Amino acid sequence: MSVKTEHLTYYQSTLAARRALRRRRMRELLTALLFLLPALAFLTVFVYVPSVMAFTLAFWHYHLLGVNTTWAGWSNFSDALQFNVFQQSLANTAFYAAMMVPGIVVLSIAIALLINRVSRFYSFIRTLVLLPYATPAIGTAIGWLWIFDPTYGLANGLLHAVGLPASQWLQSPAMAMPAVAIYSLWHGVGFDVVVVMSALAGVPRGVLEAAAVDGAGAMRRFFRVTLPLISPTVFFIVVVTTIGALQSFAQVYALSGGTGGPEYATTTTLFLIYETAFVYNHYSYASAMAVILVLIILALTLLQRWMGKRMVFYQ
Amino acid sequence: MIKTVRGFVRNLTALVVGLSFLLPLYIALVTSLDTKADVFTFPPHMTLDWQWQVYSRAWRMFRWLMYFGNTLLIAGLTIVITLTVSILAAYALSFIEFRGRELIFGLILLVVMIPSEAHLIPNFVLLNFMNLLDTYAAQILPYGASVFGIFLLRQFFLSLPKDYWEAARIDGCGHLRFLWSIALPLCRPVLFTIGLYIFIGSWNSLLWPLMVTQSHNVQPVEVALARFLENNSVDWRRLSAASIFTTLPVIGIFLLLQKHIIRGISRGEGIQG
């Protein structure tokens, strides 16, 4: 770098060289803009402009054919907030997230610790755990519909085996969402297991051995050494799982047969937005719901960032 | 002695936990191969009966080959377009020095902060406006620029020594030629990982194709399967068979290329996968 600067100052004494330099900079800028043009064009058309449009759409009564577009003011928002199914969809989504976040965190750490200490079939077991992550929701729903079948399913078979009363699972308003969460844990935990495993690989052995020499038991070593050291990863998982849970759609669609039932019990907010817009064609009304959901997601993300700064141990 | 027993128990527990993840898929397989009488029994029986007839019946009911073709076409074109767009942008953001570079990069990263629900409905309205609803393009173009791809490639380009470019430039090499014959061959593994994630994401996507397609001719295999499940909701064997043969390809690709997927996730690349 310094050599280059020296050369530049030397040549800059002549006017021609300065002009050449300016021309070169201009050419570089043009090349860069040309290279960036496709990406910026795609993002403008499919992200920037639509994101602004979402807000404007929500303030109109918009119809796809372009007729009778009238100003709605805040009415779409107030209608949505007073609509009992929308309220329920927010509650359902929150309920689902409240099951998913602790579920994913605990399961992923437990499974990662288990696999990490295994001497045989290490990568085979990791493959099995990660496999569902790559599979589509619709394609894998059928096995789960069967597991949750009230009469013939395996879930009730298990409950029966340990002497618990049978459940209606996906057909009961109370148990449908937990059933969806169980499916989603199966589907998504493998990703987080791999993330935790790579974090565990970064925990220095020496520290753990020193703790063991000092007489710390396995539990104590985990909570006092391992967990603080992997806390940035755990925090990452909490953030990603929360956002993912607030955007759940495919699993609900697949397990409720595209209905969001029974009795709206599995209607998540995104599912309701989909239904309002694309089944009932109320685009503006659905946009207002989407704006509310987006604001909730953004608020939660900011809140989590703020909390993360205080609670996470960064080395 | 106690130690070996403990180790054995641990290995066995891990194996059981691992295998239990296969259970839902195995159940679908059992159901699809059952004799008709065995489908509804309690407790459920778990052995394979090898009754393959249901498969050919389920296969003949839908034009599956066309749906597979659609999915492959959509995934393939998305990969080509997204990679091209991402490479060009990432190159400009790492090898070319110009004023406002950080600003543009920040503008691109801003996209990560916007939840996709924000542009879901407007995108639909815009596609309708452009007369693109119910086409392949509607399922490809919205994914044309991948922030995740640009970010990864930029990281990679920044890790390459600057001397490569300086040396090439002194020899009279332009940006396009440098990109094509030096930077591109070097980033092949990164391109492969990004392409793989796009492929799996494309195969598994449901909400967007449900929204923008109506005619069967352009629908991907997942949407077709969803319709198949609704139309045949009484015949569990047929449903299971169709679920299995539409999911097997993506499972096969996962098993073949899992090394790359695991490496990608460990490096934090799979966030949007």
Side-chain angles (χ1 to χ4, degrees):
Chain A
M1 198 60 194
S2 67
V3 176
K4 202 168 116 191
T5 334
E6 271 171 42
H7 278 285
L8 286 182
T9 39
Y10 175 69
Y11 281 118
Q12 266 167 355
S13 56
T14 71
L15 200 69
R18 205 182 292 175
R19 209 176 294 142
L21 185 74
R22 201 181 303 145
R23 214 179 301 138
R24 218 194 99 204
R25 272 209 194 127
M26 202 60 207
R27 214 174 42 224
E28 291 277 290
L29 180 66
L30 274 178
T31 320
L33 290 182
L34 216 58
F35 277 26
L36 283 163
L37 188 66
L40 291 177
F42 273 115
L43 290 178
T44 305
V45 176
F46 293 108
V47 181
Y48 299 135
V49 169
S51 301
V52 176
M53 256 179 82
F55 287 86
T56 55
L57 262 181
F59 287 101
W60 292 86
H61 292 298
Y62 176 81
H63 304 276
L64 211 49
L65 299 170
V67 287
N68 297 330
T69 302
T70 51
W71 178 251
W74 289 95
S75 69
N76 285 322
F77 290 95
S78 55
D79 285 354
L81 289 171
Q82 283 161 26
F83 180 33
N84 58 343
V85 178
F86 182 67
Q87 292 165 359
Q88 195 187 342
S89 81
L90 288 175
N92 289 340
T93 309
F95 180 37
Y96 174 77
M99 289 183 284
M100 284 302 285
V101 175
I104 285 277
V105 168
V106 172
L107 264 184
S108 64
I109 294 177
I111 297 175
L113 285 173
L114 182 68
I115 299 180
N116 237 8
R117 298 192 54 191
V118 143
S119 48
R120 275 159 179 269
F121 320 115
Y122 175 85
S123 59
F124 175 64
I125 295 169
R126 190 178 54 182
T127 303
L128 292 179
V129 173
L130 187 61
L131 177 65
Y133 172 70
T135 58
I138 295 283
T140 48
I142 187 76
W144 281 95
L145 290 175
W146 184 250
I147 289 178
F148 288 131
D149 189 276
T151 326
Y152 305 101
L154 199 69
N156 276 345
L158 274 178
L159 289 183
H160 182 76
V162 293
L164 287 170
S167 165
Q168 293 292 307
W169 296 108
L170 290 163
Q171 284 155 41
S172 109
M175 285 308 287
M177 213 57 191
V180 173
I182 292 173
Y183 165 85
S184 301
L185 285 175
W186 168 80
H187 191 267
V189 79
F191 173 88
D192 302 288
V193 168
V194 175
V195 172
V196 174
M197 281 172 76
S198 75
L200 287 176
V203 175
R205 273 187 175 274
V207 184
L208 284 172
E209 278 160 15
V213 169
D214 288 346
M219 278 305 221
R220 213 184 152 98
R221 280 202 302 272
F222 172 73
F223 281 107
R224 288 298 168 86
V225 181
T226 310
L227 195 57
L229 282 173
I230 64 167
S231 62
T233 302
V234 176
F235 178 66
F236 165 80
I237 292 176
V238 169
V239 172
V240 171
T241 312
T242 309
I243 296 176
L246 297 178
Q247 302 176 314
S248 52
F249 173 81
Q251 57 274 63
V252 167
Y253 187 93
L255 289 177
S256 70
T259 65
E263 296 171 28
Y264 301 108
T266 57
T267 298
T268 57
T269 307
L270 186 54
F271 186 88
L272 184 64
I273 291 169
Y274 160 80
E275 210 175 41
T276 309
F278 304 106
V279 181
Y280 301 117
N281 298 326
H282 298 316
Y283 298 102
S284 286
Y285 193 27
S287 277
M289 295 178 184
V291 167
I292 295 171
L293 179 63
V294 164
L295 291 180
I296 292 175
I297 292 175
L298 287 179
L300 262 179
T301 313
L302 290 178
L303 181 73
Q304 285 182 333
R305 287 242 167 121
W306 182 79
M307 277 165 60
K309 274 196 195 125
R310 272 155 190 74
M311 292 166 63
V312 176
F313 173 77
Y314 292 104
Q315 268 174 307
Chain B
M1 183 59 193
I2 292 172
K3 223 173 182 178
T4 49
V5 171
R6 249 199 213 164
F8 177 75
V9 170
R10 196 179 294 135
N11 283 338
L12 194 70
T13 319
L15 193 63
V16 170
V17 168
L19 285 174
S20 68
F21 275 80
L22 272 191
L23 196 66
L25 303 174
Y26 181 74
I27 288 175
L29 188 67
V30 169
T31 311
S32 70
L33 295 172
D34 262 351
T35 56
K36 203 168 186 179
D38 278 345
V39 173
F40 293 100
T41 49
F42 191 87
H45 88 289
M46 295 304 254
T47 49
L48 301 167
D49 292 334
W50 309 110
Q51 302 289 315
W52 289 99
Q53 307 89 315
V54 181
Y55 277 80
S56 60
R57 224 176 307 145
W59 180 263
R60 278 198 307 268
M61 288 175 68
F62 263 40
R63 286 176 291 167
W64 293 109
L65 223 46
M66 179 188 79
Y67 297 124
F68 277 119
N70 286 345
T71 292
L72 287 178
L73 184 76
I74 293 163
L77 283 176
T78 309
I79 290 174
V80 171
I81 294 176
T82 309
L83 287 185
T84 312
V85 170
S86 306
I87 291 165
L88 286 172
Y91 182 87
L93 292 171
S94 50
F95 273 104
I96 307 180
E97 275 174 35
F98 61 97
R99 282 177 78 177
R101 193 167 92 170
E102 294 312 307
L103 182 77
I104 291 187
F105 186 54
L107 203 63
I108 291 177
L109 278 190
L110 184 70
V111 172
V112 182
M113 281 297 289
I114 308 173
S116 57
E117 290 73 34
H119 36 87
L120 199 68
I121 297 167
N123 266 337
F124 176 84
V125 171
L126 280 173
L127 285 172
N128 174 57
F129 188 69
M130 294 187 270
N131 258 327
L132 284 176
L133 282 188
D134 220 9
T135 60
Y136 292 122
Q139 303 173 68
I140 297 168
L141 295 180
Y143 302 104
S146 154
V147 174
F148 149 77
I150 294 173
F151 181 79
L152 279 188
L153 281 164
R154 178 178 170 273
Q155 292 287 92
F156 179 80
F157 284 150
L158 286 179
S159 75
L160 293 177
K162 268 269 180 279
D163 305 358
Y164 287 11
W165 162 239
E166 295 297 333
R169 193 174 57 112
I170 287 164
D171 288 344
C173 171
H175 279 298
L176 208 53
R177 177 138 168 251
F178 178 74
L179 170 60
W180 180 255
S181 40
I182 298 183
L184 205 55
L186 285 172
C187 70
R188 236 179 284 164
V190 186
L191 291 181
F192 187 80
T193 310
I194 301 172
L196 187 62
Y197 279 111
I198 298 174
F199 182 84
I200 292 178
S202 192
W203 191 288
N204 294 349
S205 74
L206 178 70
L207 175 57
W208 186 247
L210 266 179
M211 279 169 45
V212 297
T213 63
Q214 299 226 307
S215 46
H216 301 173
N217 293 336
V218 296
Q219 280 180 342
V221 78
E222 275 300 291
V223 173
L225 182 64
R227 204 176 56 245
F228 188 86
L229 296 190
E230 273 161 41
N231 295 353
N232 297 280
S233 55
V234 274
D235 193 333
W236 285 80
R237 294 190 298 162
R238 234 184 265 157
L239 300 184
S240 304
S243 294
I244 296 239
F245 64 64
T246 54
T247 308
L248 265 187
V250 79
I251 290 181
I253 284 177
F254 168 78
L255 292 178
L256 271 178
L257 304 173
Q258 52 153 324
K259 208 174 62 188
H260 301 271
I261 297 177
I262 288 172
R263 200 192 302 143
I265 299 175
S266 313
R267 282 201 214 128
E269 292 168 1
I271 300 167
Q272 312 221 331

